[in-house]
Amino acid sequence: MSVVVNDLSKIYGSQYAVNHLKFTAERGKILGFLGPNGAGKTTTMKMLTTFLAPSSGSATICGYNIIDSPIDVKRNIGYLPEHNPLYKDMYVREYLIGFARLLKVVNPMNRVDNLIQMTGLSLEQNKLISSLSKGYRQRVGLAQALLHDPEVLILDEPTSGLDPNQLVEIRNLIRNIGNEKTLIFSTHIMQEVNALCDRVIIINHGQKVLDESIEELQDHMNDRQIIQLEYSQGIDISILKKIEGVVKVEDKGKNKYQITAKNNIEVRDLIFNQSVANNWTLRELKKEKSSVESIFNELTVSQQKRDK
């Protein structure tokens, strides 16, 4: 495995930002690192890239320990942080050549030319970085992260804030790079999962709450169904919770409710019968497939409510 994380923790005072995290990442696979804002994604990435020292635990990158061999770790990692730090008063090609020389890249001019072609920057290479759209700035950041041809690429929210056209282009670029590298990228955009990932980890409050391949996640989704309900009046949700197959009932406000249920039981008939028995006027009863969003919600938002 190119990346091995073992019991990695970061503590601020008495609060765990990352709590005994364990996972691995391998070459040729794209690992999606998901979680709500404040879950510990960026903190984990900063520890893996040696910008932040862990409080306990360890991690290795291509066999090098992040604590004992930080220079060797950095040689094997390309990192695009959430807030892409670029020198905006420099020209794209000038900027990349300068960093290639700092990194002592062999044949820096050729390497930069190849990366400009790979990242679709050919038409922008002689422009000031300050004049580029966010999508093209992300491309410059990716090109910079790849200058020294690292084995591991770590991208923190690489698609955040992009318009739909930019989103498709950056996704395609990440997918192509992921075929040859060990690639970890963090996101809270659920659409990125099906579009890019081979495997998904979800963390919440610094702890891992899900670690599945995309195939296992699809099975997970197929095992559940979502029922949307609307009544003309408030109801007693404790009655709905007792229905066979119902896993969870959420009050969405304004007499609207969402039920998560097992997919092997037809709960709609049971819900309808209970509504009639209790004289509840049912305005809407709609079945939806379980989604990454619903699983994410179940593992994060619902847990936060239980913790309060």
Side-chain angles (χ1 to χ4, degrees):
M1 296 292 178
S2 298
V3 178
V4 179
V5 177
N6 186 29
D7 274 335
L8 198 64
S9 296
K10 184 63 181 179
I11 309 171
Y12 294 100
S14 60
Q15 183 177 356
Y16 276 89
V18 176
N19 191 350
H20 298 285
L21 199 58
K22 294 182 180 181
F23 67 88
T24 61
E26 59 183 300
R27 182 183 175 90
K29 303 290 185 181
I30 298 179
L31 173 63
F33 198 47
L34 282 66
N37 290 332
K41 303 187 300 296
T42 295
T43 300
T44 300
M45 291 187 161
K46 285 183 176 179
M47 287 191 285
L48 292 181
T49 52
T50 75
F51 286 95
L52 194 62
S55 300
S56 62
S58 64
T60 59
I61 308 293
C62 299
Y64 297 105
N65 190 286
I66 60 171
I67 298 172
D68 300 330
S69 307
I71 301 300
D72 292 310
V73 168
K74 288 176 180 176
R75 287 194 181 107
N76 284 278
I77 281 183
Y79 179 41
L80 178 63
E82 181 179 6
H83 302 291
N84 191 0
L86 301 172
Y87 289 95
K88 296 178 183 178
D89 56 347
M90 295 182 71
Y91 296 93
V92 172
R93 193 166 187 278
E94 168 194 31
Y95 174 81
L96 292 174
I97 289 172
F99 269 89
R101 287 172 172 160
L102 285 173
L103 291 167
K104 298 181 180 179
V105 172
V106 177
N107 296 323
M109 308 283 276
N110 290 340
R111 179 61 178 164
V112 168
D113 287 341
N114 290 337
L115 284 173
I116 284 174
Q117 178 83 21
M118 179 195 300
T119 54
L121 286 167
S122 297
L123 296 178
E124 318 297 323
Q125 62 180 307
N126 296 315
K127 292 183 180 180
L128 282 171
I129 292 174
S130 60
S131 69
L132 300 180
S133 67
K134 182 169 182 180
Y136 278 109
R137 290 183 191 179
Q138 291 295 79
R139 290 170 188 257
V140 175
L142 279 170
Q144 180 184 345
L146 289 164
L147 279 170
H148 56 304
D149 196 22
E151 170 66 24
V152 178
L153 196 62
I154 296 180
L155 312 177
D156 194 358
E157 303 281 3
T159 59
S160 178
L162 301 184
D163 67 37
N165 291 332
Q166 294 169 339
L167 194 59
V168 170
E169 292 168 352
I170 294 296
R171 279 180 184 171
N172 289 336
L173 180 55
I174 291 172
R175 191 182 295 110
N176 290 334
I177 294 169
N179 290 329
E180 301 177 356
K181 306 287 183 185
T182 300
L183 199 153
I184 302 173
F185 81 96
S186 76
T187 184
H188 59 268
I189 303 172
M190 296 300 102
Q191 293 90 336
E192 300 299 288
V193 176
N194 287 328
L196 288 172
C197 297
D198 297 295
R199 189 163 130 250
V200 177
I201 288 174
I202 298 177
I203 65 170
N204 192 36
H205 298 313
Q207 293 182 305
K208 184 172 67 176
V209 294
L210 181 140
D211 185 350
E212 295 183 351
S213 69
I214 197 67
E215 292 82 8
E216 290 170 329
L217 189 63
Q218 293 288 350
D219 290 340
H220 193 157
M221 289 189 288
N222 292 334
D223 186 51
R224 299 292 175 90
Q225 58 179 312
I226 304 297
I227 309 295
Q228 303 292 349
L229 303 173
E230 182 179 355
Y231 290 92
S232 62
Q233 75 270 46
I235 65 168
D236 182 358
I237 64 173
S238 65
I239 294 175
L240 295 180
K241 289 179 179 178
K242 295 175 183 177
I243 293 175
E244 182 185 4
V246 169
V247 176
K248 183 178 61 173
V249 181
E250 295 178 81
D251 187 343
K252 296 294 186 178
K254 297 183 179 180
N255 302 325
K256 294 182 179 181
Y257 305 87
Q258 178 174 292
I259 291 180
T260 303
K262 296 177 181 178
N263 207 32
N264 60 349
I265 297 175
E266 182 50 84
V267 297
R268 287 177 294 177
D269 293 344
L270 302 176
I271 293 169
F272 181 82
N273 292 337
Q274 281 291 353
S275 300
V276 171
N278 288 277
N279 294 317
W280 299 335
T281 302
L282 191 59
R283 289 179 173 171
E284 181 183 65
L285 191 158
K286 181 173 66 175
K287 179 180 177 179
E288 299 176 353
K289 284 187 176 181
S290 182
S291 63
V292 177
E293 287 88 346
S294 64
I295 293 172
F296 183 86
N297 179 272
E298 182 180 341
L299 294 173
T300 57
V301 175
S302 298
Q303 181 181 327
Q304 289 172 358
K305 290 178 180 177
R306 289 195 297 270
D307 293 342
K308 288 182 179 178

